[in-house]
Amino acid sequence: MQQDGNTWRFLGRYYFNAGTDSVKGSLEISNQGSDTTKYVIADAVRFGGGMGDFDAGGGVSGKPRWEESGRYFAEFMGQPDVYDGFVWAMPQYAAWESESWEDSLYFSWHTNAYNGNGRGTHLYVYGPDGPGIPGSWDYRTPVAGSDTLGERILDHVVADIRAEWDPNWTDGRKYSAWFGELNPSNNDEMPSCLLEVAYHDNELDARAITDPRFRDIVARGIYQGIVDWWYYNHDGPSATPIAFNTKLPEPPTHLSVRNQGNNTLRVQWQAPLADSGNGFHGDPATGYLVCHSSDGFGFDDGVTTTNTYMDFTSLDTDSIHYFRIIATNQGGQSFPSITGGAMVASNGLAPILVVNGYDRLDRGVMCVEDDPNSTNNMLRERLELMNHYGYIRIFADSIEAANLPFDFSSNEAVIDESVLLPDYPMVIWQSGRESTTDKTFDVTEQYLIQSFLEDHAGQIFVSGSEIAWELDDQAAGTSFYNNYLKADFSSDDAGTYSVSTTSGSIFDGLGVFSFDDGTQIFDVALS
């Protein structure tokens, strides 16, 4: 609280169950630092950002604060003398929050429009030309470093898009203009630049910027460009340790959690992909944090290791444990892996393997919301509804009710046979909304499941919304679907979320129930 304008300090993201509990529902603040001359004093704690409450003349928005304009955020955070202009409110806020002793930069992320005729990624710094004028690279801002900062970011973003999205992506162009966000009269304390990622009025570009995969590529490129600029241009390699130019690693893959006997669970994974010399992906992982949870929502800070497995011993019989892995290197921490979990078996052998085969996260699973200002719906990136990679929690609740221990594996670990299906009498395989691009079951998975059923008398329960469509209707595995999954494609749309069970089937006795329409988990996309 002694820095950044006495604003709120972000402590982290945590999961809270509904209701109140004086033990579990409390926050403890302690003075555990080694400096005994310092004290921790707290007079307020804020959970979440809350709902917008600022009225700029048109009433209160009624939206969560994180969805509102930066102009409202500046007011909420306590910036004095916030002006009415939305364009210059954000650079002014950045200048207000930055301390005199801090190194800071201002980066603005935009999309562009040009009567449907523009394409590609462009960069702007402050210069003499007016907005809308395709000016030259005429850099005239008094804040040194803006041009090199922009160039580093632009080079990374365009190279990454070409490497992983579209090899013919339009050349990144550099311009200067007197945009208010870049005007040094609004913020002369730090280098600044503005990136026009793509054109939202061009169909091809618009499809890209509404795809989470594309957004991830662009975000990674921006981050890595900033790291390079700080290392090569701002301080210079001779003044900066090489660790400062280490890029964050990617998340670990091939997660599995399996019983080993003696009340022990083994958590195993593979090292993530790393930069092969083309500048894409992060740098290699040098270690890992194995994070443990009792409910699959709230995880501990993790146990460190340089191995790609870890055993958890002396666990209670029939207890369920969840894990996720974070890769680390000198640059910091990766995003976490998917969530895996298992129930401890009394005899060390779990009769069920739960396989997560739902990796899809693209434009096709974006959440559809009504747009009050248009006849067209909005596509919203709600990751927790699209694919939260923690569906083992849902399966665990049902399997626990039957008191059957289970192991867990990602489908990647099954494909490379580090986890063997014949080790289990029963397999539960979840494919979510995997479809033709991501493959509900690729040829290797089909072969392994066929062998499991035919040669080892195994049993399998499969769930997914596009399995029949891809395998049978699109002929990606008709024989496998008909002869081994014992089903036929009927229609791509049932026309309802309501389910009526059939007498004599394994669902007999469940009565009528409904699939979720996208309010709890992903929508099965009835169309």
Side-chain angles (χ1 to χ4, degrees):
M1 295 294 286
Q2 297 177 354
Q3 60 186 13
D4 293 335
N6 294 327
T7 56
W8 293 97
R9 307 303 299 163
F10 179 71
L11 298 179
R13 292 172 59 90
Y14 303 92
Y15 184 85
F16 294 92
N17 287 313
T20 59
D21 186 308
S22 60
V23 176
K24 296 181 179 178
S26 60
L27 177 70
E28 179 179 314
I29 301 174
S30 63
N31 187 31
Q32 296 179 348
S34 58
D35 188 345
T36 57
T37 65
K38 302 285 186 178
Y39 299 90
V40 175
I41 301 173
D43 58 4
V45 177
R46 194 183 84 204
F47 295 89
M51 300 296 290
D53 56 7
F54 183 76
D55 187 350
V60 176
S61 71
K63 298 288 185 180
R65 187 167 280 110
W66 65 268
E67 289 194 293
E68 290 190 326
S69 164
R71 158 71 178 85
Y72 300 163
F73 181 77
E75 183 102 1
F76 172 70
M77 294 297 281
Q79 179 188 355
D81 303 322
V82 179
Y83 302 106
D84 290 335
F86 290 88
V87 170
W88 49 81
M90 289 170 281
Q92 289 174 348
Y93 172 78
W96 169 74
E97 190 179 85
S98 178
E99 301 289 349
S100 60
W101 47 266
E102 285 184 314
D103 268 342
S104 304
L105 60 86
Y106 183 83
F107 174 76
S108 184
W109 178 321
H110 286 234
T111 59
N112 213 339
Y114 189 58
N115 299 321
N117 298 315
R119 286 212 67 192
T121 303
H122 308 317
L123 175 81
Y124 281 90
V125 295
Y126 187 72
D129 294 321
I133 300 174
S136 62
W137 180 244
D138 189 1
Y139 168 73
R140 297 183 187 179
T141 176
V143 184
S146 297
D147 55 341
T148 53
L149 170 65
E151 288 176 313
R152 288 285 183 188
I153 293 173
L154 181 67
D155 289 347
H156 265 280
V157 169
V158 173
D160 288 357
I161 292 174
R162 289 176 176 171
E164 293 293 320
W165 188 262
D166 180 356
N168 298 313
W169 190 258
T170 303
D171 288 342
R173 300 189 182 102
K174 300 179 293 185
Y175 298 119
S176 54
W178 62 40
F179 290 143
E181 274 196 86
L182 306 177
N183 194 320
S185 64
N186 294 320
N187 182 354
D188 62 358
E189 296 187 21
M190 61 195 71
S192 62
C193 62
L194 182 156
L195 190 71
E196 298 281 9
V197 175
Y199 284 77
H200 54 255
D201 63 344
N202 176 281
E203 182 178 358
L204 292 176
D205 276 24
R207 292 185 69 85
I209 57 180
T210 53
D211 195 304
R213 298 170 301 175
F214 181 84
R215 297 181 182 201
D216 188 62
I217 292 169
V218 173
R220 182 192 287 110
I222 292 169
Y223 152 71
Q224 292 186 345
I226 291 173
V227 171
D228 275 354
W229 175 80
W230 223 288
Y231 181 74
Y232 290 108
N233 299 99
H234 183 268
D235 293 328
S238 61
T240 309
I242 189 65
F244 283 29
N245 194 40
T246 302
K247 310 300 193 304
L248 299 177
E250 304 298 318
T253 63
H254 296 67
L255 180 66
S256 65
V257 184
R258 292 175 287 169
N259 277 270
Q260 302 295 299
N262 297 319
N263 291 67
T264 297
L265 293 178
R266 171 163 294 183
V267 186
Q268 195 163 354
W269 61 93
Q270 284 190 15
L273 294 172
D275 183 0
S276 61
N278 60 2
F280 197 67
H281 297 305
D283 284 325
T286 56
Y288 303 93
L289 288 172
V290 183
C291 303
H292 180 211
S293 169
S294 60
D295 61 7
F297 291 102
F299 287 83
D300 63 19
D301 293 333
V303 181
T304 60
T305 183
T306 56
N307 296 321
T308 54
Y309 73 93
M310 180 174 287
D311 289 341
F312 285 76
T313 61
S314 303
L315 303 174
D316 292 337
T317 299
D318 297 332
S319 60
I320 298 177
H321 301 265
Y322 299 91
F323 303 91
R324 64 185 187 186
I325 316 302
I326 296 173
T328 61
N329 61 20
Q330 289 182 304
Q333 299 180 3
S334 74
F335 289 117
S337 69
I338 65 173
T339 298
M343 176 189 282
V344 180
S346 59
N347 63 356
L349 298 174
I352 298 175
L353 175 69
V354 180
V355 178
N356 176 61
Y358 183 32
D359 303 310
R360 182 181 180 185
L361 189 61
D362 60 24
R363 187 177 185 272
V365 294
M366 295 279 274
C367 296
V368 179
E369 291 185 14
D370 176 63
D371 186 346
N373 302 307
S374 172
T375 56
N376 296 318
N377 289 323
M378 295 185 290
L379 292 179
R380 303 298 302 273
E381 187 175 289
R382 309 289 199 197
L383 296 180
E384 282 298 304
L385 299 180
M386 295 159 61
N387 193 344
H388 56 60
Y389 299 101
Y391 299 99
I392 182 61
R393 299 187 297 250
I394 300 173
F395 288 93
D397 288 342
S398 298
I399 301 172
E400 182 183 24
N403 197 31
L404 293 172
F406 62 89
D407 287 351
F408 169 87
S409 177
S410 64
N411 65 314
E412 292 84 5
V414 172
I415 290 172
D416 72 5
E417 298 189 76
S418 57
V419 175
L420 301 175
L421 298 182
D423 287 346
Y424 302 87
M426 173 71 181
V427 170
I428 298 175
W429 192 298
Q430 178 237 352
S431 67
R433 286 188 63 186
E434 298 277 87
S435 190
T436 50
T437 299
D438 304 273
K439 302 298 180 185
T440 56
F441 295 93
D442 68 17
V443 292
T444 301
E445 291 168 323
Q446 291 180 38
Y447 169 78
L448 292 172
I449 292 173
Q450 179 177 326
S451 174
F452 169 67
L453 297 173
E454 193 171 54
D455 300 335
H456 301 279
Q459 301 178 73
I460 190 167
F461 182 92
V462 172
S463 68
S465 65
E466 304 292 334
I467 298 172
W469 161 258
E470 190 215 354
L471 296 183
D472 200 356
D473 188 73
Q474 299 299 300
T478 303
S479 175
F480 171 74
Y481 186 71
N482 296 157
N483 299 322
Y484 291 93
L485 297 188
K486 305 295 184 180
D488 286 300
F489 174 81
S490 175
S491 173
D492 189 38
D493 187 348
T496 178
Y497 290 100
S498 182
V499 180
S500 299
T501 58
T502 302
S503 177
S505 75
I506 61 173
F507 304 108
D508 193 6
L510 292 180
V512 177
F513 62 93
S514 298
F515 286 114
D516 186 72
D517 61 0
T519 57
Q520 301 291 328
I521 59 174
F522 56 86
D523 194 326
V524 294
L526 300 180
S527 58

